[in-house]
Amino acid sequence: MAEQESGQQVADEAAGAPEFLDDTVDAETREKAHRERGAARPITVVGNPVLHRRCQDVTAFDDQLAQLVDDMFASQFAAEGVGLAANQIGVDLRVFVYDCPDDNGARHVGAICNPVIDELPAERRELDESNEGCLSVPTAYAPLARPDYAVCRGQDIEGNPVVVEGTGYFARCLQHETDHLNGYLYIDRLSKRDRKDALRQMAEGTPRYETVPNG
């Protein structure tokens, strides 16, 4: 029996199905190269104004952007994170980086400028309520329901269009980092009670990485 690939492929092409970036290729090598060229910066935390407004679009795909991305990978590694948005190191630009596994153990590494998360059709929208944390809300965690599949569209650091898909934990990462660039922290999606508890956890904890004092 032949695989039903050709018929599905035609249907996908007719529907304008995107060609997804394979961000698992040479993931370890690419991440290491970025962070070795970069310098770690301290992490901004909740309350810092840059975290609570929509970031500016990336319009210059130049050496300065490339250096910022290198610094973001170095900062993410130093803080032991799986994703980092530019405003988390105080830069008002719509770009995030990630070094994140999916639920199958595949390692995804990349940088996305001007990201937008696709609205999912109802049949693809299955919620996963798992614990979520954030480098900008250090030492705090709370359960948060998010779709377990995400498609993120944007540009790479050279300005070329890219489309990345994620499942499970990686889908959560793509949504979380795009939220950052829209001026939202994950705690903004929590109930008042859960948000208060997350802020209590943060107040009582000690981050294991350098942060920027507020005020």
Side-chain angles (χ1 to χ4, degrees), residues 53-129:
R53 60 175 182 259
R54 187 184 189 278
C55 291
Q56 298 294 312
D57 289 344
V58 176
T59 57
F61 298 87
D62 53 13
D63 291 345
Q64 188 173 352
L65 176 65
Q67 186 60 59
L68 170 63
V69 166
D70 289 342
D71 288 354
M72 290 170 67
F73 272 105
S75 303
Q76 174 180 256
F77 181 81
E80 300 179 18
V82 297
L84 186 77
N87 54 354
Q88 291 185 273
I89 56 169
V91 179
D92 186 9
L93 276 180
R94 292 183 65 78
V95 56
F96 72 79
V97 302
Y98 57 88
D99 178 9
C100 184
D102 61 27
D103 288 358
N104 295 319
R107 182 178 181 179
H108 298 263
V109 169
I112 302 179
C113 303
N114 304 321
V116 176
I117 298 291
D118 279 5
E119 286 289 335
L120 294 178
E123 64 271 15
R124 291 303 303 268
R125 189 175 174 82
E126 293 188 16
L127 296 180
D128 168 36
E129 187 166 359

Side-chain angles (χ1 to χ4, degrees), residues 98-172:
Y98 57 88
D99 178 9
C100 184
D102 61 27
D103 288 358
N104 295 319
R107 182 178 181 179
H108 298 263
V109 169
I112 302 179
C113 303
N114 304 321
V116 176
I117 298 291
D118 279 5
E119 286 289 335
L120 294 178
E123 64 271 15
R124 291 303 303 268
R125 189 175 174 82
E126 293 188 16
L127 296 180
D128 168 36
E129 187 166 359
S130 296
N131 257 11
E132 190 160 326
C134 179
L135 297 179
S136 292
V137 193
T139 73
Y141 296 88
L144 177 63
R146 289 192 189 266
D148 68 355
Y149 175 74
V151 174
C152 185
R153 300 173 187 271
Q155 295 164 281
D156 64 18
I157 62 173
E158 296 177 347
N160 302 308
V162 291
V163 187
V164 175
E165 68 173 341
T167 59
Y169 187 50
F170 182 43
R172 181 175 294 273

